[in-house]
């Protein structure tokens, strides 16, 4: 993601009810050149993005979203696979994320992509008062034959 992506990113981010990020939050990640801040474009249209923070050998997925025109078409799985590959290449062994207990589409997606529930964070989302489910996925490094 670069500053040129911000307008389209914020349009998508504005549609989420779960702790939407501000322009400054994205800008901070761009300025510190976070390699975990990735956008996806189809024919030059920004259709989605994710952001993770690398902490030692762990990745914390902080944000992931698709444009509403592109949801429910299996693209979430593509984004999550890309996330897994990127983390593996960076030597990350564990991905962690929080998801609202009411976000059934996201929970279903994460389970399909190999994430398992490891805890609950009570009233994690200030706006809605929802609890968050803490999920993790362990990444197996490819063994050298
Ligand atoms: C969460 C998100 C990235 C998922 O991506 P997606 O491309 O829409 O998800 P998929 O199409 O891969 O669908 C995932 C599963 O949910 C199901 N699903 C999709 N839309 C659904 C809906 N409206 N109602 C019920 N189930 C639905 C799909 O059928 C699929 O299950 P299946 O593989 O058994 O068929 C996307 O919906 C999104 O951007 N949501 C808004 C932001 C958000 O909530 N981010 C997550 C924060 S933790």
């Amino acid at each position: 993601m670069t500053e040129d992506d911000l307008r389209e990113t914020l349009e998508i981010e504005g549609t989420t009810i779960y702790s939407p990020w501000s322009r400054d939050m994205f800008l901070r990640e761009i300025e510190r050149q976070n390699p975990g801040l990735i956008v996806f474009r189809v024919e030059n249209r920004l259709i989605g993005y994710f952001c993770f923070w690398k902490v030692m050998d762990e990745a914390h997925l902080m944000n992931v979203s698709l444009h509403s025109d592109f949801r429910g078409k299996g693209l979430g799985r593509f984004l999550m696979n890309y996330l897994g590959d990127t983390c593996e290449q960076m030597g990350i062994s564990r991905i962690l994320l929080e998801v609202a207990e009411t976000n059934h589409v996201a929970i279903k997606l994460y389970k399909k992509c190999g994430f398992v529930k490891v805890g609950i964070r009570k009233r994690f989302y200030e706006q809605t008062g929802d609890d968050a489910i803490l999920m993790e996925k362990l990444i197996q490094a490819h063994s050298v034959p």
Side-chain angles (χ1 to χ4, degrees):
M1 187 183 292
T2 68
E3 276 194 67
D4 291 341
D5 299 314
L6 273 177
R7 185 186 54 77
E8 289 165 283
T9 298
L10 288 168
E11 266 174 36
I12 298 174
E13 188 68 9
T15 65
T16 184
I17 52 168
Y18 304 106
S19 304
W21 279 24
S22 64
R23 179 187 172 84
D24 279 354
M25 289 167 86
F26 284 107
L27 208 49
R28 207 175 302 142
E29 298 303 314
I30 292 168
E31 282 169 356
R32 74 179 185 96
Q33 298 182 351
N34 176 2
L37 182 65
I38 311 266
V39 295
F40 296 81
R41 287 189 175 275
V42 172
E43 292 172 353
N44 210 29
R45 182 171 175 196
L46 197 155
I47 64 152
Y49 48 85
F50 63 65
C51 178
F52 69 85
W53 292 349
K54 183 176 183 299
V55 183
M56 310 298 279
D57 67 337
E58 291 183 355
H60 293 235
L61 184 63
M62 307 304 292
N63 199 336
V64 55
S65 199
L66 276 168
H67 190 288
S68 52
D69 289 352
F70 295 87
R71 290 179 195 162
K73 300 178 195 299
L75 281 167
R77 194 164 184 134
F78 177 81
L79 261 66
M80 295 308 289
N81 286 341
Y82 194 89
L83 170 72
D85 291 348
T86 306
C87 288
E88 191 178 334
Q89 282 162 21
M90 290 171 77
I92 285 164
S93 58
R94 182 181 187 225
I95 307 175
L96 285 160
L97 61 83
E98 281 105 1
V99 57
E101 58 179 353
T102 49
N103 194 347
H104 304 295
V105 173
I107 292 169
K108 200 167 172 187
L109 172 68
Y110 298 147
K111 281 185 179 165
K112 278 206 146 187
C113 293
F115 284 80
V116 294
K117 177 179 168 179
V118 288
I120 293 277
R121 298 202 198 281
K122 285 285 179 195
R123 299 186 63 78
F124 183 79
Y125 297 94
E126 281 177 18
Q127 290 91 333
T128 60
D130 284 333
D131 293 349
I133 300 174
L134 178 65
M135 301 183 90
E136 75 163 14
K137 178 177 177 171
L138 302 180
I139 298 179
Q140 311 269 323
H142 289 306
S143 54
V144 181

